[in-house]
Amino acid sequence: MIDGTIAIVGRPNVGKSTVFNRMLEKRMSIVEDTPGVTRDRIYGDCEWLSRTYRLIDTGGIELADAPFQKEIKAQVDIAIEEADVIIFLTNGIEGLTNDDKYVAKLLRKANKPVILGINKIDDISKIDHIYEFYALGLGDPIAVSGSHGIGIGDLLDKASSLMPDKQRDNYEGMIKFAIIGRPNVGKSSLTNAFLNQNRVIVSDIEGTTRDAIDTVFTANDKSYVVIDTAGIRKRGKVYESIEKYSVLRAKAAIDRADVVLCVIDGDVGIIEQDKHVAGLAHEASKGVIIVYNKWDLVEKDEKTMDKITKEIRNQFAYLDYAPIAFTSAKENKRVNTLLPLIDTVYNNVNLRIKTNVLNEVILDAQMANPAKPHKGRLFKIYYASQVQTAPCIIILFVNDPELFHFSYKRYIENKLREAFGFEGVPIQILARKKESD
């Protein structure tokens, strides 16, 4: 779960990428002394004080008519809009510049919490360099050194304290589901069909929906939050900066959802990008439903649904646990089949198995089909425990985790699904060595 977004902004060559990499504790951005090396936004997730934040590294902003300044400025504007907190980084060695004043002016208009970081303060002898930056009127500056890791924790502490309460906290007790897919597959039409009213703009132009839109509604005495997202384009074809922003918003929507509806355009059929989109939900370990939309445009006979179901299972082998629904959102046909599916998957996402019942199933599975010897040794499961729901994580305490062959893991998973259902839910099965008594 992402607890907030932090954008690092500043003029060129102040060390934004170095600080970004320090926060991630890995090298992701290119770090050079040449201004303008980072032209596009770069994203990464960092953990701090048991919370996870999404970081955005941006290109340097300057007054001069430098190459790519228009594109860089557009990227920074998007990062500022997406951010909950902004770190404005400056160069303590070079001192306050007109470019710093220009960036500060932009940030004041943003009306977002801003933390002023003075980079390249490598030792106490340089601390006096921070005081001239009070002239920016952005509060107390924090001295940091990205190259030496000094003050990075202070920046993250301050950012954490300024994070606003997330809207998702207001949805307690509601079933949250996100509708994702590439552009023009009918996500907004599907949202309108759920709501029975045009609360979302529907257009045949790809990418009409730019942001994630949350709408609360009630059906069958239950409260739901439907999160409609911008279409996700193939990474290699994302030309507009705003479309890259849409991908980020879709990922954020998946993070907030309990269940994800992966929508496929039935008029076009399955394409490679559909697998990429669905993979985002699978990697996030969310409950998943595959929705084959625009069913009204498909030429069909009595065998068509079975044929397409087999194709989906073949193309989305990693989502073999996900139920499949066929809908026509535009004509509001078969959409009524989705809410019962969402309820089922939501319940499965939160299913807690009693330990004694879980162990009975595991014991029966071993007795019915013991693991084959590996290198002359037998794999044995002593007992099992479900340690988490949403996502479901089951730990098997065994004699040797290295003997747990993937085929036997698959067998155990199938037995768990036979016993408990888990329709629409990925199961993480981990092996741990049983400690000696």
Side-chain angles (χ1 to χ4, degrees):
M1 183 71 73
I2 301 299
D3 295 293
T5 301
I6 303 168
I8 304 174
V9 174
R11 63 181 176 85
N13 204 30
V14 297
K16 297 184 296 296
S17 294
T18 304
V19 170
F20 174 83
N21 290 337
R22 277 285 179 183
M23 289 180 172
L24 290 181
E25 296 185 335
K26 59 186 176 184
R27 187 182 178 93
M28 182 176 289
S29 282
I30 301 170
V31 180
E32 293 184 18
D33 288 335
T34 306
V37 170
T38 305
R39 293 173 184 168
D40 209 344
R41 303 188 318 285
I42 299 173
Y43 301 98
D45 295 343
C46 81
E47 293 186 5
W48 187 252
L49 302 177
S50 300
R51 301 182 76 183
T52 301
Y53 300 113
R54 181 154 290 147
L55 301 181
I56 311 177
D57 183 20
T58 64
I61 308 172
E62 56 187 323
L63 287 166
D65 189 18
F68 303 105
Q69 266 303 294
K70 183 178 179 181
E71 291 84 357
I72 290 171
K73 175 65 165 52
Q75 294 288 339
V76 172
D77 286 344
I78 293 167
I80 290 172
E81 183 178 351
E82 175 62 16
D84 298 302
V85 175
I86 299 164
I87 293 176
F88 174 24
L89 204 65
T90 64
N91 186 329
I93 301 303
E94 295 179 358
L96 184 61
T97 68
N98 287 332
D99 285 337
D100 290 324
K101 295 175 183 178
Y102 173 61
V103 175
K105 184 178 179 180
L106 293 176
L107 294 180
R108 276 192 286 271
K109 292 179 181 178
N111 196 30
K112 295 281 182 77
V114 177
I115 303 166
L116 180 57
I118 316 302
N119 194 28
K120 307 193 180 183
I121 307 299
D122 300 333
D123 58 64
I124 195 67
S125 67
K126 299 175 182 176
I127 196 68
D128 289 347
H129 292 217
I130 74 171
Y131 296 120
E132 64 177 309
F133 290 93
Y134 275 100
L136 294 174
L138 293 173
D140 295 330
I142 297 176
V144 303
S145 171
S147 59
H148 291 83
I150 299 169
I152 302 300
D154 294 333
L155 286 179
L156 288 169
D157 280 342
K158 186 68 174 177
S160 182
S161 69
L162 293 174
M163 283 291 165
D165 293 333
K166 289 296 179 182
Q167 188 179 19
R168 63 173 177 263
D169 294 337
N170 299 328
Y171 297 149
E172 187 175 354
M174 302 182 186
I175 300 175
K176 302 181 290 294
F177 64 95
I179 303 176
I180 68 169
R182 56 187 176 83
N184 204 33
V185 296
K187 299 183 299 298
S188 295
S189 295
L190 196 56
T191 300
N192 292 339
F194 278 117
L195 302 176
N196 290 317
Q197 54 185 313
N198 287 330
R199 293 284 297 275
V200 183
I201 298 170
V202 178
S203 168
D204 289 335
I205 302 172
E206 288 192 358
T208 301
T209 309
R210 295 299 190 188
D211 287 347
I213 302 169
D214 295 3
T215 308
V216 178
F217 70 98
T218 302
N220 303 321
D221 297 323
K222 294 180 183 178
S223 294
Y224 299 86
V225 181
V226 54
I227 308 169
D228 180 26
T229 61
I232 305 174
R233 292 182 182 273
K234 191 172 184 178
R235 188 168 298 174
K237 295 184 178 180
V238 185
Y239 298 111
E240 295 181 70
S241 59
I242 196 71
E243 290 296 347
K244 294 183 182 180
Y245 175 50
S246 298
V247 174
L248 178 67
R249 295 304 298 262
K251 289 181 178 179
I254 291 170
D255 286 336
R256 293 190 290 119
D258 303 304
V259 179
V260 178
L261 274 57
C262 299
V263 186
I264 299 170
D265 185 342
D267 190 32
V268 175
I270 300 168
I271 65 173
E272 197 64 29
Q273 180 61 1
D274 293 319
K275 301 176 193 176
H276 168 66
V277 173
L280 297 175
H282 175 70
E283 290 166 9
S285 295
K286 298 292 182 174
V288 177
I289 298 170
I290 298 173
V291 180
Y292 200 83
N293 194 34
K294 302 187 183 180
W295 187 236
D296 55 303
L297 301 180
V298 177
E299 292 186 13
K300 48 189 172 288
D301 55 31
E302 66 277 3
K303 297 180 180 179
T304 304
M305 188 176 288
D306 287 340
K307 181 181 177 181
I308 293 175
T309 297
K310 290 178 182 177
E311 183 184 3
I312 291 172
R313 292 302 181 207
N314 181 51
Q315 296 290 329
F316 297 85
Y318 58 92
L319 286 176
D320 59 352
Y321 56 83
I324 302 169
F326 294 84
T327 64
S328 172
K330 196 170 184 179
E331 296 189 0
N332 201 3
K333 291 181 178 178
R334 300 179 63 89
V335 177
N336 62 334
T337 64
L338 290 176
L339 280 183
L341 269 181
I342 291 169
D343 290 345
T344 297
V345 174
Y346 175 78
N347 290 335
N348 288 340
V349 164
N350 295 282
L351 178 63
R352 172 74 69 176
I353 307 169
K354 291 183 178 179
T355 302
N356 64 319
V357 177
L358 174 62
N359 280 278
E360 285 178 9
V361 172
I362 295 294
L363 178 62
D364 288 345
Q366 283 193 103
M367 292 179 65
N369 182 23
K372 295 179 180 179
H374 180 67
K375 295 182 179 179
R377 300 180 61 199
L378 286 174
F379 174 71
K380 184 174 182 180
I381 303 171
Y382 295 108
Y383 59 94
S385 176
Q386 183 183 8
V387 296
Q388 187 176 316
T389 63
C392 174
I393 300 177
I394 293 174
I395 293 182
L396 306 179
F397 293 90
V398 304
N399 58 334
D400 186 349
E402 293 185 4
L403 299 177
F404 194 20
H405 194 269
F406 73 88
S407 61
Y408 200 70
K409 180 178 181 180
R410 184 69 169 172
Y411 165 72
I412 293 295
E413 179 180 338
N414 289 338
K415 287 299 181 181
L416 291 173
R417 292 190 182 280
E418 286 178 16
F420 306 111
F422 281 121
E423 184 182 22
V425 179
I427 303 174
Q428 297 181 33
I429 302 175
L430 308 176
R432 296 283 184 269
K433 184 174 176 60
K434 180 181 178 293
E435 297 297 329
S436 301
D437 295 331

